């Protein structure tokens, strides 16, 4: 586990492919989407002077925000690069080891089960032991995950998947928690935090594109070679070795550059499960934010496991999945830039409601339409929504979730996510049933997003009325 971009080998999906009229995905559509995505992203950036100034300031600015972004982004992007490097090659490696689809499923369940149970506990400890220390722990555990890929033994690979599940929980909680806590300590407002999240996930998309190319080059240096006792080197193991090099660099950078933070609790009282569950139950905004997070991200992970068979046709050539993946990442990159553009006029809650609605429409399209061309376009639109989602949700959680329980609550949000993702794997859903389920899940996200928008609007209206009331009272006191 550990990335949302793991590509299944083509032969694993033949049994899943539903019979329908063959309709090949044109290469012109694939490569045209790459150009369209890049041109659109460039157009959004060039049309927004603020984005240009922000990017320029990131590299050359000497203000406090620019210095902080230059401190955070290298550590975060190294962590994401390591994750992206190994993702596209997991199942190709398993295929090289001769692991069948059934045992692939067992490894999946082991990884997500570990993320749901062990990862939730380990990730929540960040509020007590420190977010910086937990980020270093991510590097150590993920290093072990990648190292196990040298053995073509099922039991060793299962250990690796479990380690990957734990590290995933750390990756998607402690880095955001560290960023939000330090941002609040430095006095940055919600807009500045949102801009940092947008830059972070823009960089992550660029890292994903680069990782796919670097991993492919590494995998082709030497063939997969057996040494004995189940130990191998070369081939699709090479991207994992390259990821470990990046993890070492990430660990060195974080340990020498980042300061420690525990949130408002300073490591004394944060991280209690009971306290975190109580906060979720007592505050509807925290609960609804969690529903949006769990619903969208579970649908995203389920999409990752199923987009490949959706674009394949029986007795037709296998599409160029590497180039399709690059197209997805370009549209994800586009989404991060669109977020920065929309954030000037819309609140994070309003952007979230829009993203959830469009995402549900994309998954509904896949359920209703069998054309691979239409499905491909729907997937591109969904990837743009993914790019919008992460800076939006990072900003939203930064404002709503209590600081002293931040990592604990972030990991509690991931608990239902992992359970939902396991459902289609364990029940062996067809493609149509799978996307019917994700559409229903996203309908929950849409309802929750609009409900949260209403809650936050009402809160702001009440605060405005209170300010006006105080102003009227002050005026009455000073009037003759």
């Amino acid at each position: 586990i550990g990335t949302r971009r793991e590509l299944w080998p083509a032969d694993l999906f033949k049994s899943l492919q539903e019979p329908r009229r063959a309709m090949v995905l044109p290469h012109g559509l694939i490569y045209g989407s790459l150009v369209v995505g890049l041109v659109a992203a460039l157009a959004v950036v060039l049309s927004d002077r603020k984005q240009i100034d922000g990017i320029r300031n990131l590299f050359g600015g000497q203000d406090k925000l620019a210095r902080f972004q230059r401190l955070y982004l290298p550590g975060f992007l190294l962590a994401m690069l390591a994750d992206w490097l190994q993702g596209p090659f997991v199942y190709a490696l398993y295929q090289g080891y001769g692991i069948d689809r059934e045992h692939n499923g067992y490894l999946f369940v082991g990884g997500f089960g570990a993320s749901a149970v062990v990862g939730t506990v380990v990730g929540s400890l960040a509020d007590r032991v420190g977010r910086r220390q937990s980020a270093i722990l991510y590097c150590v555990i993920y290093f072990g995950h990648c190292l196990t890929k040298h053995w073509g033994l099922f039991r060793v690979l299962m250990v690796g998947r479990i380690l990957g599940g734990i590290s995933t929980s750390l990756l998607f909680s402690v880095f955001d928690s560290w960023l939000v806590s330090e941002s609040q300590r430095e006095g940055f407002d919600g807009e500045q935090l949102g801009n940092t999240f947008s830059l972070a996930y823009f960089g992550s998309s660029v890292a994903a594109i680069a990782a796919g190319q670097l991993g492919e080059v590494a995998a082709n240096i030497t063939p997969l070679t057996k040494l004995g006792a189940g130990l191998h080197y070369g081939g699709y193991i090479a991207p994992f070795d390259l990821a470990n090099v990046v993890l070492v660099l990430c660990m060195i950078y974080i340990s020498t550059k980042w300061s420690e933070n525990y949130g408002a609790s300073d490591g004394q009282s944060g991280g209690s499960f009971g306290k975190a569950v109580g906060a979720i139950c007592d505050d509807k905004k925290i609960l609804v934010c969690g529903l949006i997070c769990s619903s969208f991200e579970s649908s995203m992970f389920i999409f990752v496991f199923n987009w490949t068979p959706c674009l394949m046709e029986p007795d037709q050539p296998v599409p160029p999945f590497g180039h399709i993946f690059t197209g997805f990442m370009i549209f994800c990159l586009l989404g991060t830039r669109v977020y920065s553009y929309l954030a000037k006029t819309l609140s994070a809650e309003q952007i979230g409601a829009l993203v959830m609605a469009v995402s549900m429409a994309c998954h509904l399209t896949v359920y209703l339409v069998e054309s691979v061309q239409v499905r491909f376009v729907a997937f591109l639109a969904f990837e743009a929504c993914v790019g919008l989602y992460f800076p939006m949700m990072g900003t939203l959680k930064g404002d709503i979730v209590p600081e002293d329980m931040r990592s604990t609550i972030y990991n509690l949000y991931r608990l239902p996510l992992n359970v939902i993702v396991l459902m289609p794997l364990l029940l062996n859903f067809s493609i149509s049933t799978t996307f019917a389920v994700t559409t229903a899940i996203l309908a929950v996200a849409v309802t929750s997003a609009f409900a949260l928008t209403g809650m936050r609007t009402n809160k702001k209206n009440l605060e405005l009325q209170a300010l006006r009331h105080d102003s009227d009272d002050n005026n009455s006191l000073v009037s003759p």
Side-chain angles (χ1 to χ4, degrees):
I1 203 170
T3 180
R4 63 185 190 88
R5 301 294 172 197
E6 293 168 339
L7 307 184
W8 289 57
D11 61 315
L12 297 183
F13 286 110
K14 290 182 179 178
S15 63
L16 290 176
Q17 186 67 41
E18 298 173 352
R20 60 177 183 266
R21 182 172 59 87
M23 194 175 297
V24 179
L25 185 63
H27 284 205
L29 179 60
I30 297 172
Y31 299 123
S33 70
L34 304 183
V35 176
V36 169
L38 287 173
V39 171
L42 185 62
V44 170
V45 172
L46 293 179
S47 65
D48 185 358
R49 180 73 183 182
K50 192 172 182 179
Q51 288 198 49
I52 297 175
D53 292 340
I55 294 173
R56 183 183 296 118
N57 190 56
L58 170 65
F59 292 101
Q62 294 303 316
D63 59 280
K64 186 165 67 171
L65 177 61
R67 292 196 303 270
F68 174 73
Q69 289 172 341
R70 289 197 294 269
L71 172 69
Y72 172 72
L73 290 175
F76 173 77
L77 293 178
L78 283 170
M80 293 302 297
L81 178 60
D83 189 43
W84 288 119
L85 270 170
Q86 54 86 37
F89 307 101
V90 172
Y91 295 99
L93 177 61
Y94 289 171
Q95 185 183 36
Y97 285 151
I99 296 175
D100 58 27
R101 183 174 179 273
E102 179 183 0
H103 286 83
N104 262 303
Y106 295 153
L107 292 169
F108 248 119
V109 171
F112 274 97
S115 183
V117 181
V118 183
T120 301
V121 175
V122 173
S124 67
L125 293 177
D127 289 325
R128 293 181 177 176
V129 303
R131 283 79 179 265
R132 169 181 166 273
Q133 199 71 15
S134 297
I136 295 172
L137 180 61
Y138 157 78
C139 297
V140 173
I141 295 177
Y142 211 43
F143 188 97
H145 158 74
C146 293
L147 194 63
T148 60
K149 298 301 183 289
H150 280 274
W151 282 267
L153 304 175
F154 180 80
R155 61 182 180 276
V156 178
L157 295 174
M158 177 60 80
V159 171
R161 294 299 288 183
I162 292 172
L163 293 175
I166 297 170
S167 59
T168 296
S169 292
L170 291 168
L171 176 62
F172 287 99
S173 59
V174 298
F175 286 86
D176 283 6
S177 296
W178 188 93
L179 169 61
V180 173
S181 181
E182 290 297 309
S183 293
Q184 293 177 349
R185 182 181 298 176
E186 294 290 341
F188 300 132
D189 59 26
E191 181 182 359
Q192 291 171 315
L193 177 61
N195 288 338
T196 303
F197 271 118
S198 182
L199 286 171
Y201 285 100
F202 171 81
S204 176
S205 299
V206 174
I209 297 170
Q213 305 306 312
L214 289 172
E216 193 67 40
V217 171
N220 291 326
I221 293 176
T222 58
L224 183 63
T225 305
K226 185 175 182 179
L227 293 175
L231 186 64
H232 297 72
Y233 73 93
Y236 287 119
I237 297 174
F240 293 88
D241 293 335
L242 186 57
N244 272 347
V245 173
V246 175
L247 286 168
V248 171
L249 295 176
C250 181
M251 183 165 53
I252 293 172
Y253 181 86
I254 291 174
S255 62
T256 57
K257 298 293 185 179
W258 286 14
S259 60
E260 186 60 275
N261 73 56
Y262 305 90
S265 66
D266 290 328
Q268 299 301 313
S269 60
S272 167
F273 271 106
K275 186 179 177 183
V277 172
I280 293 173
C281 296
D282 293 341
D283 191 330
K284 288 184 179 180
K285 295 189 296 298
I286 301 176
L287 175 62
V288 173
C289 182
L291 284 174
I292 298 170
C293 180
S294 296
S295 299
F296 183 87
E297 293 186 29
S298 60
S299 298
M300 180 186 73
F301 277 107
I302 294 172
F303 155 77
V304 169
F305 308 142
N306 289 278
W307 70 262
T308 309
C310 284
L311 301 181
M312 293 175 61
E313 293 290 346
D315 304 318
Q316 297 296 327
V318 176
F321 289 130
H323 297 302
I324 293 173
F325 170 74
T326 300
F328 286 172
M329 290 297 94
I330 288 174
F331 272 78
C332 189
L333 180 151
L334 170 63
T336 66
R337 297 298 86 204
V338 172
Y339 172 82
S340 294
Y341 186 84
L342 293 177
K344 295 186 299 180
T345 54
L346 299 177
S347 66
E349 296 87 352
Q350 291 171 323
I351 295 173
L354 176 64
V355 168
M356 296 307 121
V358 175
S359 297
M360 185 183 73
C362 293
H363 282 241
L364 181 61
T365 299
V366 177
Y367 171 69
L368 295 175
V369 181
E370 295 184 346
S371 166
V372 292
Q373 291 96 323
V374 174
R375 287 182 168 183
F376 175 67
V377 173
F379 288 161
L380 292 174
F382 179 65
E383 284 292 343
C385 289
V386 171
L388 276 154
Y389 167 81
F390 279 103
M392 177 277 298
M393 181 52 67
T395 304
L396 210 54
K397 290 192 295 188
D399 187 35
I400 292 175
V401 177
E403 176 57 33
D404 62 324
M405 300 176 282
R406 187 173 300 282
S407 292
T408 305
I409 292 178
Y410 282 13
N411 278 282
L412 285 174
Y413 283 170
R414 292 187 59 81
L415 182 58
L417 181 160
N418 287 294
V419 173
I420 293 170
V421 171
L422 284 173
M423 181 173 62
L425 292 172
L426 294 173
L427 299 180
N428 196 26
F429 286 162
S430 66
I431 295 299
S432 60
T433 302
T434 296
F435 279 92
V437 169
T438 57
T439 301
I441 294 171
L442 285 167
V444 174
V446 171
T447 304
S448 302
F450 278 99
L452 183 61
T453 301
M455 292 177 193
R456 303 280 280 179
T457 301
N458 291 338
K459 179 183 177 183
K460 290 175 182 177
N461 289 338
L462 290 173
E463 290 174 350
L464 183 59
Q465 290 176 8
L467 287 174
R468 288 173 177 171
H469 184 268
D470 291 342
S471 178
D472 292 340
D473 289 344
N474 291 334
N475 289 335
S476 65
L477 290 173
V478 300
S479 60

